[in-house]
Amino acid sequence: MGRPSLKEKLLSDGLQLVHKRGFGASSVRDIVQAAGVPQGSFTNHFASKEAFGLEILERYHDMASAAVKATLRNDAVSPLRRLRAWIDGQLEYLRQEDMRRGCLYGNLSAEASEESEAIRKRVAAVFAENQASVAYCLEAAIDSGELAANADVQELAGFIVSSLQGAILVAKAQRSPTPVERFERVLFRSVLPAGTVSKRRARVSR
Amino acid sequence: MGRPSLKEKLLSDGLQLVHKRGFGASSVRDIVQAAGVPQGSFTNHFASKEAFGLEILERYHDMASAAVKATLRNDAVSPLRRLRAWIDGQLEYLRQEDMRRGCLYGNLSAEASEESEAIRKRVAAVFAENQASVAYCLEAAIDSGELAANADVQELAGFIVSSLQGAILVAKAQRSPTPVERFERVLFRSVLPAGTVSKRRARVSR
DNA sequence: ACAAACAGTACGGACGTCCACATTGTGCCG
DNA sequence: CGGCACAATGTGGACGTCCGTACTGTTTGT
């Protein structure tokens, strides 16, 4: 039925463009040109530009999830090494385009939060999901004795996720990997070894 | 010479609008309407929308500088209390619009970095300036014995500035003050008391 | 043969910018 | 000391471009 679809090309090339130049700054014409497909194909496959945004967000999420599975949730490696590998992986990805891209989640959080409620909610959910993965890794760190047993895992995980976003954001403005590298150093030298954010009465932390 | 200028009104009302809705999402017509001035006044006072963006950035910077002077650089208060007051002040400001605004610096870093090199450079400079102010405060904390003497002040200050940006960014996506409150808790419970990011060989850290 | 995807173009509106002219406060000159 | 000229600002609309989206065929694989 039908012909081979150009949707894949639109999604993969479009994601690259939007990630580098921003969602609002990338017009539909820019996107179809980057993908080398005719204008009509965009309308054929996406009900609106917002729907396209949600799909590339999903695509980015697939990549990020794969990285999480290979690092944070990879029980074959010791917990704090996994956490470091997760951050190093992002740093390497950021360097590829001279720190210009930033994190798609953070970019969309800043620029699309007021334009599209659907995108804002998806980004918020992804942040929560990342926090859960970091928490999983920290839990393992407690079990293996790499982290103090009384550490509040959810609290630390949320702190790590948001602080990493900030480091990437500042790195984007300064076009330098320094903020992310510094985040990693301080995290491992100062936050985690001392790691004594003790659990408060309830474990909920939300 | 001439009549009383409407430039002030454009800048103050325009800043509010851009801060809440984003730079790209705010059209020139939106801005003049929010300020209640005719369209032509925008052209009269600003050579371009980018020039306007740089001016509201400067206006925002004036406000932020005043807050820094009253907190981080206020030697009448004990250093760590100043740092806490600085963060609390931002938190209060963010709450005013239900966490929708985020930080103008962070927003522009994410959305304007690829559109305007001038804005990107200004934002990067402001981040560096904030880092210097936090470092000033941490230096005072060492002198007063509130922070370990061997702490790497520049390293910690950079970490604090970027992590706060990230907390505000995530808070914006989640429409909740929790990430910023959590940042503050972890910072004071875990990073600063232990505070042992020791100075490396050179003090430069850049 | 039929459904699905391609493909080119058209459309109404919003965008940033520009322009021509009216208005008003200021300072100089008679 | 009164009026005039000028510069700065106000004011509304116009201009060309680009935007997201819709539409109407055409092609192609099953």
Side-chain angles (χ1 to χ4, degrees), chain B residues 3-6 39-41 44-45:
Chain B
R3 304 200 271 180
S5 175
L6 298 181
Q39 171 112 343
S41 288
N44 290 339
H45 292 292

Side-chain angles (χ1 to χ4, degrees), chain A residues 58-194:
Chain A
E58 227 47 47
R59 219 191 152 77
Y60 187 74
H61 178 254
D62 290 342
M63 292 170 37
S65 283
V68 164
K69 219 165 244 171
T71 55
L72 292 176
R73 293 187 180 272
N74 179 5
D75 293 330
V77 180
S78 83
L80 291 193
R81 286 178 86 88
R82 295 183 229 166
L83 178 57
R84 194 183 281 278
W86 181 60
I87 297 169
D88 286 340
Q90 299 196 46
L91 194 46
E92 190 189 352
Y93 181 73
L94 291 167
R95 277 195 221 266
Q96 280 173 22
E97 290 277 352
D98 203 26
M99 311 304 290
R100 280 181 152 79
R101 284 194 282 219
C103 171
L104 186 65
Y105 301 144
N107 296 350
L108 287 177
S109 173
E111 82 167 306
S113 278
E114 289 299 327
E115 303 188 61
S116 163
E117 182 70 2
I119 291 181
R120 199 211 100 225
K121 279 188 174 163
R122 188 73 188 100
V123 169
V126 167
F127 282 149
E129 190 182 319
N130 271 0
Q131 179 179 340
S133 295
V134 173
Y136 173 87
C137 183
L138 294 181
E139 203 78 65
I142 290 181
D143 291 346
S144 75
E146 291 183 309
L147 187 63
N150 68 339
D152 186 334
V153 163
Q154 287 298 329
E155 185 95 341
L156 278 174
F159 176 83
I160 288 170
V161 168
S162 75
S163 295
L164 176 56
Q165 281 298 319
I168 292 171
L169 187 73
V170 174
K172 180 175 181 172
Q174 299 186 339
R175 288 244 208 288
S176 155
T178 300
V180 182
E181 294 165 348
R182 180 165 48 208
F183 161 74
E184 192 175 2
R185 281 195 303 271
V186 175
L187 176 65
F188 282 98
R189 285 196 210 167
S190 181
V191 182
L192 291 179

